[in-house]
């Protein structure tokens, strides 16, 4: 039921980990399943995403979509990263089963939350970026897990 690309990114996820002193971090929870995703962005002075890492308590589809999404935003400017939607990520993975589409939202939302954090810290605006609804703090995660 999963494409070869999904299986590859699930079994060999790219960009798993953390970035110390990240330019922006975003943590979001999935309203449907309660799974959690955190994204770290390292952004240079030209607003180019130099590095990106993720950690998740999500399912295999969440791992695969985050792996692909992080590969897709790496090396892009923060504006270009806004074009990496969950739809674009799913297409790059050759699709996901319909029941797993909500999992792919985690990566997009966490990237947006991390971009928002970066924009706030640097006093800039990124076109099309709105305040994340579901950004949650460290404390809340520790309480839950
Ligand atoms: Fe929760 Fe997939 S079931 S992220």
């Amino acid at each position: 039921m999963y494409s070869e690309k999904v299986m590859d990114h699930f079994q060999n996820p790219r960009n798993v980990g953390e970035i110390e002193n990240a330019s922006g971090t975003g943590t979001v929870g999935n309203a449907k399943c309660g799974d959690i995703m955190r994204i770290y962005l390292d952004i240079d002075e030209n607003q180019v995403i130099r590095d990106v890492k993720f950690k998740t308590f999500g399912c295999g589809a969440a791992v695969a979509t985050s792996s692909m999404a992080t590969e897709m935003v790496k090396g892009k400017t923060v504006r270009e990263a806004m074009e990496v939607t969950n739809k674009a990520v799913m297409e790059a993975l050759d699709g996901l089963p319909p029941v797993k589409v909500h999992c792919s939202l985690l990566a997009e939302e966490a990237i947006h939350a991390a971009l928002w954090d970066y924009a706030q810290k640097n006093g800039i605006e990124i076109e099309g970026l709105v305040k994340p609804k579901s950004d949650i703090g460290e404390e809340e995660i520790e309480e839950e897990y």
Side-chain angles (χ1 to χ4, degrees):
M1 88 181 201
Y2 289 115
S3 73
E4 265 173 44
K5 283 190 190 161
V6 173
M7 288 311 291
D8 175 33
H9 279 266
F10 169 54
Q11 282 165 340
N12 310 292
R14 284 51 147 191
N15 310 311
V16 173
E18 296 181 27
I19 296 174
E20 249 181 75
N21 303 318
S23 317
T25 59
T27 308
V28 296
N30 193 313
K32 281 212 169 175
C33 61
D35 289 341
I36 284 175
M37 171 78 58
R38 179 172 294 161
I39 296 262
Y40 303 80
L41 296 174
D42 176 22
I43 300 170
D44 73 11
E45 60 286 355
N46 298 316
Q47 301 189 0
V48 173
I49 299 172
R50 230 179 344 212
D51 198 10
V52 48
K53 295 267 190 260
F54 79 93
K55 285 206 307 201
T56 186
F57 294 100
C59 68
V63 170
T65 45
S66 307
S67 169
M68 180 58 95
T70 50
E71 286 285 275
M72 287 168 80
V73 298
K74 209 191 266 186
K76 295 221 162 98
T77 65
V78 294
R79 273 164 166 258
E80 289 164 346
M82 291 296 295
E83 286 158 29
V84 179
T85 58
N86 71 303
K87 190 164 171 274
V89 173
M90 282 198 300
E91 276 168 15
L93 286 169
D94 295 335
L96 274 178
V99 292
K100 287 289 169 186
V101 170
H102 71 97
C103 313
S104 69
L105 287 168
L106 269 184
E108 180 190 304
E109 285 176 5
I111 288 171
H112 286 182
L115 286 172
W116 179 265
D117 183 37
Y118 161 75
Q120 291 289 103
K121 282 182 183 154
N122 292 278
I124 60 164
E125 265 187 47
I126 302 172
E127 209 184 309
L129 183 65
V130 292
K131 191 173 189 307
K133 279 190 293 271
S134 47
D135 200 13
I136 49 178
E138 306 250 337
E139 313 74 39
E140 289 169 70
I141 287 193
E142 272 155 25
E143 272 168 32
E144 271 185 53
Y145 288 83

